[in-house]
Amino acid sequence: MQRDKAFEEDFSKAKMVYLITYDESGEENSRPMTNYSEDPYREIWFPTENETQKIKDIKNNRSVKVLVPSRKKGYYHQIEGTAELEDQDVVEQKWEWWYLSWRPTQRRWFWFPPGLDTDKRAIIKIKPEKRTLVKRR
């Protein structure tokens, strides 16, 4: 993807983005996701749980889109990419960070025993491939 300063700033300010996946019939499924990623050119990742529609969709079709609000009124940056699911050891490593970013007041009491419910957790990793500016529908 070609670098773009406005896009980089919009991405870094976006706390919420939309993840679009495709079901078995090719229909789009869109949902808001918290943006934890810092670099829109490398990998974009989202923590989630395994028993969700987005995971089912990605297992069926790894093509995804991420919509990022643009400073240009009425537009989004649309990132097209390929999704994969992180290995469980990566999920265990990143999960504590993710949990504490949502619940920072629990930092001094927090401890996840290794392996606790890890089979329920997943991290979606997206490799960005193309970016375009699209008008909101």
Side-chain angles (χ1 to χ4, degrees):
M1 286 192 324
Q2 187 174 2
R3 292 202 169 265
D4 179 288
K5 187 88 169 153
F7 166 57
E8 292 167 19
E9 290 174 10
D10 290 345
F11 186 86
S12 69
K13 289 179 183 176
K15 300 299 179 208
M16 196 260 317
V17 297
Y18 288 90
L19 173 63
I20 298 172
T21 58
Y22 300 91
D23 67 18
E24 291 178 3
S25 66
E27 290 290 317
E28 287 185 354
N29 288 315
S30 174
R31 79 275 297 152
M33 302 291 287
T34 303
N35 183 19
Y36 295 101
S37 302
E38 297 174 0
D39 186 346
Y41 303 106
R42 292 178 45 176
E43 65 182 33
I44 301 170
W45 63 277
F46 300 107
T48 188
E49 293 191 357
N50 274 315
E51 298 301 317
T52 61
Q53 185 62 46
K54 59 188 156 288
I55 296 295
K56 292 175 190 169
D57 289 351
I58 289 168
K59 286 180 178 178
N60 182 56
N61 182 345
R62 294 179 45 210
S63 296
V64 297
K65 294 177 185 170
V66 177
L67 296 180
V68 179
S70 171
R71 69 184 71 199
K72 187 174 179 182
K73 189 174 176 147
Y75 285 84
Y76 281 101
H77 299 279
Q78 177 178 278
I79 302 168
E80 296 177 46
T82 303
E84 64 182 62
L85 303 177
E86 286 282 17
D87 295 330
Q88 282 304 117
D89 58 332
V90 174
V91 172
E92 282 190 48
Q93 291 169 354
K94 289 185 176 181
W95 202 264
E96 182 175 336
W97 175 89
W98 172 79
Y99 183 86
L100 291 176
S101 71
W102 270 94
R103 296 173 176 87
T105 59
Q106 298 205 6
R107 181 168 302 282
R108 65 183 188 169
W109 299 289
F110 183 78
W111 179 68
F112 263 144
L116 178 69
D117 290 335
T118 54
D119 59 328
K120 293 181 183 178
R121 302 179 200 149
I123 293 178
I124 300 167
K125 180 173 74 173
I126 299 169
K127 180 182 180 230
E129 296 161 358
K130 179 182 174 186
R131 181 194 60 88
T132 54
L133 194 61
V134 295
K135 192 169 181 77
R136 291 183 190 171
R137 296 183 207 179

